[in-house]
Amino acid sequence: MEPGAVSAATRPRLKVDRRKPAAEQVYSQLRERIVRLVSRPREPLYETVIAEEAGISRTPVREALQRLRDEGLVEIFPGLGTFVTPLDAARLHEAIRIRALLEGEAAAMAASSPRSASTGQALLRIVEDQATAFGRNESEQVYDLDAEFHKAIFVAADLPTMWGMVRVARANMDRVHYLSLHLNRGPLAVEFHREIAKAIASGDAEAARDAMQRHIASNGAVVEGLAAHRPEYLAHGGAK
């Protein structure tokens, strides 16, 4: 099993609170399984099995799978079934470009905010928690804190719609991060986060944008590492 991945044998069952929309809950839990490599690239996802596991009808399951398709996490072939998508290097590089543009702007706006000092301090606290989690090899906590750090910047910049776009762009990169934990890039990510947080705290918009864009661009090396170490997870053997 890859570092950071959750064993399919020990994964929690899908749980649906009938007081809340079922499709949203199934979507969130299936997305988590895909991102954390419980459901692997090219693995089939059966509507009937998912519906039985969650104790619901197939309609909300179908809606959840369609949302996952829209994020590029599954492929739906009429008459054949639904499958977790393999990773595509070209699409991953495109996602990096999208994130660099949007997240760089969000970091600059957060640094330009009257609340930049308090935002920066809050981000630094997340960074230190992340550094501690890395030191303890707590990969799940590292992942959660990374998402918290990036989302907090969009919240500070009051850009909820833009965060939604970035979250979609992050989806497949998150799978790459789980597969590439063996590359030991954690310390580099922490240092980038620290640099970004300090730039925001000091109100330096251009420094915040530059640090964020360099941080996101560094993911290109992660994609190349995946092509070298996990080519079986890439579409067409990792061809771009």
Side-chain angles (χ1 to χ4, degrees), residues 95-132:
I96 289 170
R97 295 188 190 98
I98 292 170
R99 288 188 58 194
L101 289 170
L102 297 184
E103 298 203 50
E105 182 63 19
M109 290 182 66
S112 300
S113 167
R115 303 182 301 277
S116 62
S118 60
T119 297
Q121 292 304 313
L123 291 171
L124 283 169
R125 287 192 290 272
I126 296 174
V127 172
E128 296 315 314
D129 288 344
Q130 190 177 29
T132 299

PDB file of all heavy atoms in Angstrom, residues 95-132:
ATOM      1  N   ALA A  95      -3.666  21.863 -14.208  1.00  0.00           N
ATOM      2  CA  ALA A  95      -4.197  22.218 -12.891  1.00  0.00           C
ATOM      3  C   ALA A  95      -3.196  23.050 -12.103  1.00  0.00           C
ATOM      4  O   ALA A  95      -3.569  23.972 -11.372  1.00  0.00           O
ATOM      5  CB  ALA A  95      -4.563  20.949 -12.114  1.00  0.00           C
ATOM      6  N   ILE A  96      -1.919  22.740 -12.248  1.00  0.00           N
ATOM      7  CA  ILE A  96      -0.883  23.524 -11.566  1.00  0.00           C
ATOM      8  C   ILE A  96      -0.904  24.963 -12.058  1.00  0.00           C
ATOM      9  O   ILE A  96      -0.807  25.913 -11.263  1.00  0.00           O
ATOM     10  CB  ILE A  96       0.499  22.877 -11.792  1.00  0.00           C
ATOM     11  CG1 ILE A  96       0.599  21.551 -11.007  1.00  0.00           C
ATOM     12  CG2 ILE A  96       1.622  23.826 -11.358  1.00  0.00           C
ATOM     13  CD1 ILE A  96       1.819  20.735 -11.346  1.00  0.00           C
ATOM     14  N   ARG A  97      -1.058  25.162 -13.352  1.00  0.00           N
ATOM     15  CA  ARG A  97      -1.107  26.523 -13.900  1.00  0.00           C
ATOM     16  C   ARG A  97      -2.323  27.280 -13.376  1.00  0.00           C
ATOM     17  O   ARG A  97      -2.240  28.465 -13.020  1.00  0.00           O
ATOM     18  CB  ARG A  97      -1.140  26.472 -15.425  1.00  0.00           C
ATOM     19  CG  ARG A  97       0.116  25.891 -16.058  1.00  0.00           C
ATOM     20  CD  ARG A  97       0.109  26.049 -17.569  1.00  0.00           C
ATOM     21  NE  ARG A  97       1.192  25.290 -18.172  1.00  0.00           N
ATOM     22  CZ  ARG A  97       1.053  24.079 -18.707  1.00  0.00           C
ATOM     23  NH1 ARG A  97      -0.145  23.497 -18.710  1.00  0.00           N
ATOM     24  NH2 ARG A  97       2.077  23.451 -19.240  1.00  0.00           N
ATOM     25  N   ILE A  98      -3.457  26.605 -13.358  1.00  0.00           N
ATOM     26  CA  ILE A  98      -4.679  27.238 -12.856  1.00  0.00           C
ATOM     27  C   ILE A  98      -4.506  27.646 -11.398  1.00  0.00           C
ATOM     28  O   ILE A  98      -4.836  28.769 -10.995  1.00  0.00           O
ATOM     29  CB  ILE A  98      -5.880  26.273 -13.009  1.00  0.00           C
ATOM     30  CG1 ILE A  98      -6.216  26.073 -14.485  1.00  0.00           C
ATOM     31  CG2 ILE A  98      -7.102  26.798 -12.247  1.00  0.00           C
ATOM     32  CD1 ILE A  98      -7.209  24.959 -14.737  1.00  0.00           C
ATOM     33  N   ARG A  99      -3.987  26.727 -10.612  1.00  0.00           N
ATOM     34  CA  ARG A  99      -3.808  27.020  -9.188  1.00  0.00           C
ATOM     35  C   ARG A  99      -2.812  28.145  -8.963  1.00  0.00           C
ATOM     36  O   ARG A  99      -3.016  28.997  -8.086  1.00  0.00           O
ATOM     37  CB  ARG A  99      -3.348  25.757  -8.451  1.00  0.00           C
ATOM     38  CG  ARG A  99      -4.426  24.690  -8.289  1.00  0.00           C
ATOM     39  CD  ARG A  99      -3.927  23.585  -7.377  1.00  0.00           C
ATOM     40  NE  ARG A  99      -3.556  24.111  -6.076  1.00  0.00           N
ATOM     41  CZ  ARG A  99      -2.844  23.436  -5.176  1.00  0.00           C
ATOM     42  NH1 ARG A  99      -2.401  22.226  -5.451  1.00  0.00           N
ATOM     43  NH2 ARG A  99      -2.563  23.978  -4.002  1.00  0.00           N
ATOM     44  N   ALA A 100      -1.736  28.162  -9.726  1.00  0.00           N
ATOM     45  CA  ALA A 100      -0.727  29.212  -9.544  1.00  0.00           C
ATOM     46  C   ALA A 100      -1.352  30.587  -9.776  1.00  0.00           C
ATOM     47  O   ALA A 100      -1.096  31.533  -9.017  1.00  0.00           O
ATOM     48  CB  ALA A 100       0.449  28.986 -10.485  1.00  0.00           C
ATOM     49  N   LEU A 101      -2.172  30.711 -10.807  1.00  0.00           N
ATOM     50  CA  LEU A 101      -2.811  31.996 -11.097  1.00  0.00           C
ATOM     51  C   LEU A 101      -3.807  32.388 -10.013  1.00  0.00           C
ATOM     52  O   LEU A 101      -3.761  33.504  -9.478  1.00  0.00           O
ATOM     53  CB  LEU A 101      -3.519  31.921 -12.453  1.00  0.00           C
ATOM     54  CG  LEU A 101      -2.617  31.863 -13.689  1.00  0.00           C
ATOM     55  CD1 LEU A 101      -3.446  31.544 -14.930  1.00  0.00           C
ATOM     56  CD2 LEU A 101      -1.877  33.181 -13.864  1.00  0.00           C
ATOM     57  N   LEU A 102      -4.714  31.474  -9.675  1.00  0.00           N
ATOM     58  CA  LEU A 102      -5.778  31.794  -8.726  1.00  0.00           C
ATOM     59  C   LEU A 102      -5.249  31.926  -7.298  1.00  0.00           C
ATOM     60  O   LEU A 102      -5.626  32.853  -6.569  1.00  0.00           O
ATOM     61  CB  LEU A 102      -6.877  30.732  -8.787  1.00  0.00           C
ATOM     62  CG  LEU A 102      -7.613  30.602 -10.130  1.00  0.00           C
ATOM     63  CD1 LEU A 102      -8.732  29.572 -10.018  1.00  0.00           C
ATOM     64  CD2 LEU A 102      -8.174  31.936 -10.591  1.00  0.00           C
ATOM     65  N   GLU A 103      -4.394  31.022  -6.884  1.00  0.00           N
ATOM     66  CA  GLU A 103      -3.906  31.071  -5.505  1.00  0.00           C
ATOM     67  C   GLU A 103      -2.904  32.196  -5.303  1.00  0.00           C
ATOM     68  O   GLU A 103      -2.810  32.769  -4.213  1.00  0.00           O
ATOM     69  CB  GLU A 103      -3.315  29.721  -5.104  1.00  0.00           C
ATOM     70  CG  GLU A 103      -4.358  28.602  -5.145  1.00  0.00           C
ATOM     71  CD  GLU A 103      -3.999  27.423  -4.268  1.00  0.00           C
ATOM     72  OE1 GLU A 103      -3.672  27.628  -3.082  1.00  0.00           O
ATOM     73  OE2 GLU A 103      -4.055  26.284  -4.779  1.00  0.00           O
ATOM     74  N   GLY A 104      -2.161  32.524  -6.353  1.00  0.00           N
ATOM     75  CA  GLY A 104      -1.279  33.684  -6.241  1.00  0.00           C
ATOM     76  C   GLY A 104      -2.066  34.954  -6.022  1.00  0.00           C
ATOM     77  O   GLY A 104      -1.709  35.799  -5.180  1.00  0.00           O
ATOM     78  N   GLU A 105      -3.170  35.110  -6.755  1.00  0.00           N
ATOM     79  CA  GLU A 105      -4.016  36.290  -6.594  1.00  0.00           C
ATOM     80  C   GLU A 105      -4.665  36.321  -5.217  1.00  0.00           C
ATOM     81  O   GLU A 105      -4.755  37.370  -4.574  1.00  0.00           O
ATOM     82  CB  GLU A 105      -5.100  36.303  -7.679  1.00  0.00           C
ATOM     83  CG  GLU A 105      -6.020  37.499  -7.653  1.00  0.00           C
ATOM     84  CD  GLU A 105      -5.304  38.818  -7.911  1.00  0.00           C
ATOM     85  OE1 GLU A 105      -4.182  38.789  -8.455  1.00  0.00           O
ATOM     86  OE2 GLU A 105      -5.869  39.872  -7.558  1.00  0.00           O
ATOM     87  N   ALA A 106      -5.118  35.161  -4.740  1.00  0.00           N
ATOM     88  CA  ALA A 106      -5.742  35.100  -3.420  1.00  0.00           C
ATOM     89  C   ALA A 106      -4.750  35.492  -2.329  1.00  0.00           C
ATOM     90  O   ALA A 106      -5.094  36.223  -1.394  1.00  0.00           O
ATOM     91  CB  ALA A 106      -6.290  33.700  -3.159  1.00  0.00           C
ATOM     92  N   ALA A 107      -3.517  35.023  -2.439  1.00  0.00           N
ATOM     93  CA  ALA A 107      -2.494  35.363  -1.444  1.00  0.00           C
ATOM     94  C   ALA A 107      -2.213  36.861  -1.455  1.00  0.00           C
ATOM     95  O   ALA A 107      -2.069  37.493  -0.394  1.00  0.00           O
ATOM     96  CB  ALA A 107      -1.215  34.579  -1.718  1.00  0.00           C
ATOM     97  N   ALA A 108      -2.152  37.457  -2.651  1.00  0.00           N
ATOM     98  CA  ALA A 108      -1.921  38.900  -2.756  1.00  0.00           C
ATOM     99  C   ALA A 108      -3.068  39.686  -2.138  1.00  0.00           C
ATOM    100  O   ALA A 108      -2.847  40.690  -1.435  1.00  0.00           O
ATOM    101  CB  ALA A 108      -1.732  39.291  -4.217  1.00  0.00           C
ATOM    102  N   MET A 109      -4.293  39.239  -2.363  1.00  0.00           N
ATOM    103  CA  MET A 109      -5.450  39.930  -1.809  1.00  0.00           C
ATOM    104  C   MET A 109      -5.508  39.787  -0.292  1.00  0.00           C
ATOM    105  O   MET A 109      -5.871  40.732   0.418  1.00  0.00           O
ATOM    106  CB  MET A 109      -6.736  39.416  -2.458  1.00  0.00           C
ATOM    107  CG  MET A 109      -6.878  39.823  -3.918  1.00  0.00           C
ATOM    108  SD  MET A 109      -8.436  39.257  -4.658  1.00  0.00           S
ATOM    109  CE  MET A 109      -9.624  40.224  -3.705  1.00  0.00           C
ATOM    110  N   ALA A 110      -5.137  38.607   0.212  1.00  0.00           N
ATOM    111  CA  ALA A 110      -5.112  38.412   1.664  1.00  0.00           C
ATOM    112  C   ALA A 110      -4.074  39.328   2.296  1.00  0.00           C
ATOM    113  O   ALA A 110      -4.283  39.880   3.384  1.00  0.00           O
ATOM    114  CB  ALA A 110      -4.822  36.953   1.993  1.00  0.00           C
ATOM    115  N   ALA A 111      -2.945  39.506   1.611  1.00  0.00           N
ATOM    116  CA  ALA A 111      -1.888  40.386   2.129  1.00  0.00           C
ATOM    117  C   ALA A 111      -2.298  41.845   2.073  1.00  0.00           C
ATOM    118  O   ALA A 111      -1.820  42.666   2.869  1.00  0.00           O
ATOM    119  CB  ALA A 111      -0.605  40.181   1.329  1.00  0.00           C
ATOM    120  N   SER A 112      -3.195  42.184   1.153  1.00  0.00           N
ATOM    121  CA  SER A 112      -3.651  43.567   1.004  1.00  0.00           C
ATOM    122  C   SER A 112      -4.802  43.908   1.938  1.00  0.00           C
ATOM    123  O   SER A 112      -5.205  45.070   2.034  1.00  0.00           O
ATOM    124  CB  SER A 112      -4.084  43.818  -0.448  1.00  0.00           C
ATOM    125  OG  SER A 112      -3.017  43.596  -1.350  1.00  0.00           O
ATOM    126  N   SER A 113      -5.333  42.908   2.606  1.00  0.00           N
ATOM    127  CA  SER A 113      -6.475  43.120   3.491  1.00  0.00           C
ATOM    128  C   SER A 113      -6.061  43.838   4.776  1.00  0.00           C
ATOM    129  O   SER A 113      -4.933  43.665   5.253  1.00  0.00           O
ATOM    130  CB  SER A 113      -7.098  41.770   3.849  1.00  0.00           C
ATOM    131  OG  SER A 113      -8.009  41.879   4.925  1.00  0.00           O
ATOM    132  N   PRO A 114      -6.959  44.630   5.360  1.00  0.00           N
ATOM    133  CA  PRO A 114      -6.661  45.258   6.656  1.00  0.00           C
ATOM    134  C   PRO A 114      -6.389  44.240   7.759  1.00  0.00           C
ATOM    135  O   PRO A 114      -5.782  44.571   8.781  1.00  0.00           O
ATOM    136  CB  PRO A 114      -7.926  46.070   6.953  1.00  0.00           C
ATOM    137  CG  PRO A 114      -8.563  46.293   5.621  1.00  0.00           C
ATOM    138  CD  PRO A 114      -8.262  45.067   4.822  1.00  0.00           C
ATOM    139  N   ARG A 115      -6.834  43.000   7.534  1.00  0.00           N
ATOM    140  CA  ARG A 115      -6.648  41.938   8.537  1.00  0.00           C
ATOM    141  C   ARG A 115      -5.425  41.073   8.231  1.00  0.00           C
ATOM    142  O   ARG A 115      -5.301  39.968   8.762  1.00  0.00           O
ATOM    143  CB  ARG A 115      -7.891  41.050   8.591  1.00  0.00           C
ATOM    144  CG  ARG A 115      -9.187  41.792   8.885  1.00  0.00           C
ATOM    145  CD  ARG A 115     -10.369  40.846   8.983  1.00  0.00           C
ATOM    146  NE  ARG A 115     -10.544  40.089   7.751  1.00  0.00           N
ATOM    147  CZ  ARG A 115     -11.178  40.519   6.667  1.00  0.00           C
ATOM    148  NH1 ARG A 115     -11.687  41.750   6.658  1.00  0.00           N
ATOM    149  NH2 ARG A 115     -11.298  39.764   5.586  1.00  0.00           N
ATOM    150  N   SER A 116      -4.527  41.575   7.386  1.00  0.00           N
ATOM    151  CA  SER A 116      -3.405  40.747   6.930  1.00  0.00           C
ATOM    152  C   SER A 116      -2.529  40.250   8.085  1.00  0.00           C
ATOM    153  O   SER A 116      -2.058  39.104   8.066  1.00  0.00           O
ATOM    154  CB  SER A 116      -2.556  41.514   5.919  1.00  0.00           C
ATOM    155  OG  SER A 116      -1.993  42.673   6.511  1.00  0.00           O
ATOM    156  N   ALA A 117      -2.300  41.081   9.082  1.00  0.00           N
ATOM    157  CA  ALA A 117      -1.430  40.683  10.186  1.00  0.00           C
ATOM    158  C   ALA A 117      -2.014  39.497  10.948  1.00  0.00           C
ATOM    159  O   ALA A 117      -1.320  38.503  11.218  1.00  0.00           O
ATOM    160  CB  ALA A 117      -1.190  41.858  11.128  1.00  0.00           C
ATOM    161  N   SER A 118      -3.299  39.575  11.287  1.00  0.00           N
ATOM    162  CA  SER A 118      -3.926  38.482  12.028  1.00  0.00           C
ATOM    163  C   SER A 118      -4.066  37.242  11.152  1.00  0.00           C
ATOM    164  O   SER A 118      -3.912  36.106  11.637  1.00  0.00           O
ATOM    165  CB  SER A 118      -5.298  38.911  12.563  1.00  0.00           C
ATOM    166  OG  SER A 118      -6.162  39.288  11.507  1.00  0.00           O
ATOM    167  N   THR A 119      -4.339  37.448   9.859  1.00  0.00           N
ATOM    168  CA  THR A 119      -4.404  36.309   8.939  1.00  0.00           C
ATOM    169  C   THR A 119      -3.067  35.598   8.874  1.00  0.00           C
ATOM    170  O   THR A 119      -2.989  34.364   8.950  1.00  0.00           O
ATOM    171  CB  THR A 119      -4.809  36.773   7.527  1.00  0.00           C
ATOM    172  OG1 THR A 119      -6.130  37.333   7.558  1.00  0.00           O
ATOM    173  CG2 THR A 119      -4.776  35.608   6.541  1.00  0.00           C
ATOM    174  N   GLY A 120      -1.997  36.367   8.735  1.00  0.00           N
ATOM    175  CA  GLY A 120      -0.663  35.773   8.668  1.00  0.00           C
ATOM    176  C   GLY A 120      -0.306  34.996   9.913  1.00  0.00           C
ATOM    177  O   GLY A 120       0.281  33.911   9.837  1.00  0.00           O
ATOM    178  N   GLN A 121      -0.673  35.526  11.071  1.00  0.00           N
ATOM    179  CA  GLN A 121      -0.383  34.819  12.325  1.00  0.00           C
ATOM    180  C   GLN A 121      -1.170  33.517  12.415  1.00  0.00           C
ATOM    181  O   GLN A 121      -0.651  32.496  12.880  1.00  0.00           O
ATOM    182  CB  GLN A 121      -0.689  35.728  13.516  1.00  0.00           C
ATOM    183  CG  GLN A 121       0.253  36.914  13.650  1.00  0.00           C
ATOM    184  CD  GLN A 121       1.712  36.481  13.737  1.00  0.00           C
ATOM    185  OE1 GLN A 121       2.065  35.567  14.496  1.00  0.00           O
ATOM    186  NE2 GLN A 121       2.570  37.136  12.966  1.00  0.00           N
ATOM    187  N   ALA A 122      -2.421  33.567  11.984  1.00  0.00           N
ATOM    188  CA  ALA A 122      -3.230  32.343  11.992  1.00  0.00           C
ATOM    189  C   ALA A 122      -2.639  31.301  11.047  1.00  0.00           C
ATOM    190  O   ALA A 122      -2.593  30.104  11.364  1.00  0.00           O
ATOM    191  CB  ALA A 122      -4.667  32.668  11.585  1.00  0.00           C
ATOM    192  N   LEU A 123      -2.155  31.751   9.894  1.00  0.00           N
ATOM    193  CA  LEU A 123      -1.531  30.831   8.944  1.00  0.00           C
ATOM    194  C   LEU A 123      -0.246  30.244   9.506  1.00  0.00           C
ATOM    195  O   LEU A 123       0.047  29.055   9.302  1.00  0.00           O
ATOM    196  CB  LEU A 123      -1.247  31.564   7.631  1.00  0.00           C
ATOM    197  CG  LEU A 123      -2.469  31.970   6.798  1.00  0.00           C
ATOM    198  CD1 LEU A 123      -2.044  32.871   5.641  1.00  0.00           C
ATOM    199  CD2 LEU A 123      -3.209  30.734   6.269  1.00  0.00           C
ATOM    200  N   LEU A 124       0.526  31.041  10.211  1.00  0.00           N
ATOM    201  CA  LEU A 124       1.767  30.543  10.805  1.00  0.00           C
ATOM    202  C   LEU A 124       1.487  29.461  11.844  1.00  0.00           C
ATOM    203  O   LEU A 124       2.269  28.510  11.984  1.00  0.00           O
ATOM    204  CB  LEU A 124       2.553  31.694  11.435  1.00  0.00           C
ATOM    205  CG  LEU A 124       3.316  32.582  10.444  1.00  0.00           C
ATOM    206  CD1 LEU A 124       3.837  33.830  11.136  1.00  0.00           C
ATOM    207  CD2 LEU A 124       4.471  31.797   9.801  1.00  0.00           C
ATOM    208  N   ARG A 125       0.372  29.592  12.562  1.00  0.00           N
ATOM    209  CA  ARG A 125       0.021  28.550  13.531  1.00  0.00           C
ATOM    210  C   ARG A 125      -0.290  27.236  12.811  1.00  0.00           C
ATOM    211  O   ARG A 125       0.083  26.149  13.285  1.00  0.00           O
ATOM    212  CB  ARG A 125      -1.170  29.003  14.382  1.00  0.00           C
ATOM    213  CG  ARG A 125      -0.806  30.083  15.404  1.00  0.00           C
ATOM    214  CD  ARG A 125      -1.917  30.295  16.408  1.00  0.00           C
ATOM    215  NE  ARG A 125      -3.092  30.937  15.810  1.00  0.00           N
ATOM    216  CZ  ARG A 125      -3.253  32.254  15.715  1.00  0.00           C
ATOM    217  NH1 ARG A 125      -2.317  33.077  16.164  1.00  0.00           N
ATOM    218  NH2 ARG A 125      -4.352  32.757  15.184  1.00  0.00           N
ATOM    219  N   ILE A 126      -0.959  27.336  11.663  1.00  0.00           N
ATOM    220  CA  ILE A 126      -1.239  26.130  10.876  1.00  0.00           C
ATOM    221  C   ILE A 126       0.070  25.515  10.395  1.00  0.00           C
ATOM    222  O   ILE A 126       0.256  24.295  10.421  1.00  0.00           O
ATOM    223  CB  ILE A 126      -2.145  26.470   9.673  1.00  0.00           C
ATOM    224  CG1 ILE A 126      -3.516  26.955  10.148  1.00  0.00           C
ATOM    225  CG2 ILE A 126      -2.314  25.246   8.764  1.00  0.00           C
ATOM    226  CD1 ILE A 126      -4.422  27.447   9.024  1.00  0.00           C
ATOM    227  N   VAL A 127       0.992  26.369   9.950  1.00  0.00           N
ATOM    228  CA  VAL A 127       2.289  25.895   9.457  1.00  0.00           C
ATOM    229  C   VAL A 127       3.029  25.123  10.547  1.00  0.00           C
ATOM    230  O   VAL A 127       3.593  24.044  10.295  1.00  0.00           O
ATOM    231  CB  VAL A 127       3.148  27.066   8.955  1.00  0.00           C
ATOM    232  CG1 VAL A 127       4.561  26.589   8.633  1.00  0.00           C
ATOM    233  CG2 VAL A 127       2.521  27.713   7.725  1.00  0.00           C
ATOM    234  N   GLU A 128       3.039  25.647  11.751  1.00  0.00           N
ATOM    235  CA  GLU A 128       3.755  24.966  12.833  1.00  0.00           C
ATOM    236  C   GLU A 128       3.087  23.642  13.178  1.00  0.00           C
ATOM    237  O   GLU A 128       3.762  22.656  13.479  1.00  0.00           O
ATOM    238  CB  GLU A 128       3.849  25.882  14.055  1.00  0.00           C
ATOM    239  CG  GLU A 128       4.667  27.135  13.807  1.00  0.00           C
ATOM    240  CD  GLU A 128       5.980  26.873  13.070  1.00  0.00           C
ATOM    241  OE1 GLU A 128       6.703  25.918  13.449  1.00  0.00           O
ATOM    242  OE2 GLU A 128       6.280  27.607  12.109  1.00  0.00           O
ATOM    243  N   ASP A 129       1.753  23.609  13.132  1.00  0.00           N
ATOM    244  CA  ASP A 129       1.054  22.337  13.358  1.00  0.00           C
ATOM    245  C   ASP A 129       1.413  21.338  12.259  1.00  0.00           C
ATOM    246  O   ASP A 129       1.576  20.138  12.525  1.00  0.00           O
ATOM    247  CB  ASP A 129      -0.459  22.570  13.375  1.00  0.00           C
ATOM    248  CG  ASP A 129      -0.933  23.282  14.628  1.00  0.00           C
ATOM    249  OD1 ASP A 129      -0.168  23.340  15.616  1.00  0.00           O
ATOM    250  OD2 ASP A 129      -2.068  23.808  14.620  1.00  0.00           O
ATOM    251  N   GLN A 130       1.522  21.846  11.035  1.00  0.00           N
ATOM    252  CA  GLN A 130       1.872  20.966   9.925  1.00  0.00           C
ATOM    253  C   GLN A 130       3.293  20.425  10.084  1.00  0.00           C
ATOM    254  O   GLN A 130       3.544  19.239   9.844  1.00  0.00           O
ATOM    255  CB  GLN A 130       1.732  21.722   8.606  1.00  0.00           C
ATOM    256  CG  GLN A 130       1.826  20.838   7.378  1.00  0.00           C
ATOM    257  CD  GLN A 130       1.602  21.620   6.104  1.00  0.00           C
ATOM    258  OE1 GLN A 130       1.881  22.807   6.021  1.00  0.00           O
ATOM    259  NE2 GLN A 130       1.078  20.946   5.078  1.00  0.00           N
ATOM    260  N   ALA A 131       4.226  21.279  10.503  1.00  0.00           N
ATOM    261  CA  ALA A 131       5.597  20.834  10.722  1.00  0.00           C
ATOM    262  C   ALA A 131       5.649  19.748  11.794  1.00  0.00           C
ATOM    263  O   ALA A 131       6.380  18.756  11.660  1.00  0.00           O
ATOM    264  CB  ALA A 131       6.473  22.023  11.121  1.00  0.00           C
ATOM    265  N   THR A 132       4.852  19.913  12.836  1.00  0.00           N
ATOM    266  CA  THR A 132       4.802  18.909  13.902  1.00  0.00           C
ATOM    267  C   THR A 132       4.241  17.594  13.374  1.00  0.00           C
ATOM    268  O   THR A 132       4.765  16.518  13.676  1.00  0.00           O
ATOM    269  CB  THR A 132       3.934  19.413  15.062  1.00  0.00           C
ATOM    270  OG1 THR A 132       4.513  20.609  15.606  1.00  0.00           O
ATOM    271  CG2 THR A 132       3.823  18.366  16.162  1.00  0.00           C
TER     272      THR A 132
END
